[in-house]
Amino acid sequence: EKLGGTVAALALDPLNAEFKNFIDYLTVQMEKLNIDVKLNTDTSESDIVALSPDAVIMATGASLKIPDIAQGKPGVMDHIEALKNRGEIGKRVVVWGLMYGAELAISLADEGKKATLIGEAGEKTMTSHTSDMRKFWVWRKLTDINASRETPEAQRVDNPEVKLNVKVKTITADGVEFEDRDGNKSVLPYDTLVISRGREKNDSLFAKIEGKASEVYKIGDCSSAGNIQKAVWNANEVARKI
């Protein structure tokens, strides 16, 4: 009512438990504002049109890419699946992907898993999407950067093991076969292989809805893959514009 019309907001990707406080805060705020929330509901173009909204905000997120080489292989799950199903992760874990996978590898190692982090790029790719403070914390844990390590918490760890600048060649029952920059090949056995690489935005519904309401917007990963801070800022800007 305050916006002078109806707003349909779609949020299909659930946030994981690492952000529970944030989710709890938003839940309380929506209850205070008496916002109608429909969960566990598939939404189609016709469903949205039936609402006759004045504005539609698409927050349908992004999906992780599973490389063809890993499709259908046993023990493979993506980063989101790993966060949701920690109990299904085996003792030996390979995390493939430096940018998003570094912190997950550290977390799994802290839980007693034998973790290995692998990726095609160098050390500065690890958590490159986060703040400088967070990047430095990860780099100190996983690299040989010149840094003070006076406390036990600040020491470099040997679990997870990190293999940089390597290219995955094949995935078999024996493990992940990869090749380094010198052409040397190795096989890394695993119980669980977590894919933590690129994301594809889920915006197919956006094109179908354009023109069906006065205003249609994409926010968050649906617009451009990024972090939560960027998504919240994007949403704030759109809400103020409406």
Side-chain angles (χ1 to χ4, degrees):
E1 293 179 1
K2 292 181 180 179
L3 296 175
T6 304
V7 177
L10 311 179
L12 303 184
D13 284 346
L15 294 171
N16 61 63
E18 291 183 0
F19 306 104
K20 185 176 185 302
N21 290 339
F22 183 59
I23 298 171
D24 289 344
Y25 167 78
L26 294 179
T27 300
V28 170
Q29 297 308 308
M30 287 190 289
E31 289 173 351
K32 287 182 177 180
L33 295 170
N34 196 30
I35 296 173
D36 184 17
V37 179
K38 293 181 173 62
L39 301 175
N40 302 311
T41 303
D42 290 331
T43 304
S44 66
E45 175 188 355
S46 59
D47 294 327
I48 298 171
V49 172
L51 293 172
S52 299
D54 298 298
V56 179
I57 303 171
M58 301 288 297
T60 46
S63 298
L64 288 167
K65 302 176 187 176
I66 299 293
D68 292 341
I69 198 174
Q71 294 281 355
K73 299 301 172 66
V76 173
M77 61 175 66
D78 66 37
H79 191 123
I80 301 301
E81 291 176 306
L83 291 172
K84 290 180 178 179
N85 304 290
R86 300 290 272 252
E88 297 179 13
I89 298 176
K91 183 67 175 176
R92 300 173 300 174
V93 187
V94 175
V95 180
W96 182 8
L98 302 175
M99 183 182 296
Y100 304 108
E103 289 181 281
L104 176 60
I106 293 172
S107 176
L108 292 171
D110 287 343
E111 293 175 10
K113 311 291 187 184
K114 178 63 181 76
T116 305
L117 176 67
I118 64 174
E120 296 182 9
E123 58 189 25
K124 290 189 177 180
T125 304
M126 290 188 282
T127 60
S128 58
H129 65 298
T130 65
S131 66
D132 288 343
M133 182 177 296
R134 194 65 181 169
K135 282 187 285 193
F136 184 79
W137 180 85
V138 170
W139 294 351
R140 188 171 58 178
K141 286 276 191 182
L142 301 181
T143 76
D144 290 323
I145 65 168
N146 184 16
S148 174
R149 294 182 168 90
E150 296 177 356
T151 65
E153 295 77 14
Q155 300 303 309
R156 179 177 179 180
V157 296
D158 54 14
N159 183 24
E161 184 179 1
V162 180
K163 297 187 180 297
L164 305 171
N165 303 302
V166 300
K167 184 176 180 62
V168 175
K169 304 299 291 183
T170 186
I171 299 170
T172 69
D174 294 326
V176 178
E177 181 182 310
F178 62 89
E179 182 178 87
D180 64 21
R181 288 189 293 188
D182 296 324
N184 301 311
K185 293 183 179 180
S186 302
V187 176
L188 193 59
Y190 71 88
D191 300 312
T192 304
L193 171 60
V194 179
I195 309 296
S196 183
R197 291 162 56 84
R199 290 178 287 173
E200 295 177 319
K201 51 188 181 180
N202 301 323
D203 63 348
S204 59
L205 192 56
F206 177 81
K208 298 177 182 178
I209 294 173
E210 277 193 300
K212 304 295 176 62
S214 299
E215 300 175 72
V216 183
Y217 302 93
K218 291 190 290 186
I219 63 173
D221 282 356
C222 176
S223 173
S224 176
N227 56 30
I228 287 182
Q229 181 182 15
K230 178 182 175 182
V232 171
W233 186 265
N234 186 199
N236 182 278
E237 288 181 321
V238 169
R240 290 177 179 274
K241 181 177 181 180
I242 293 174

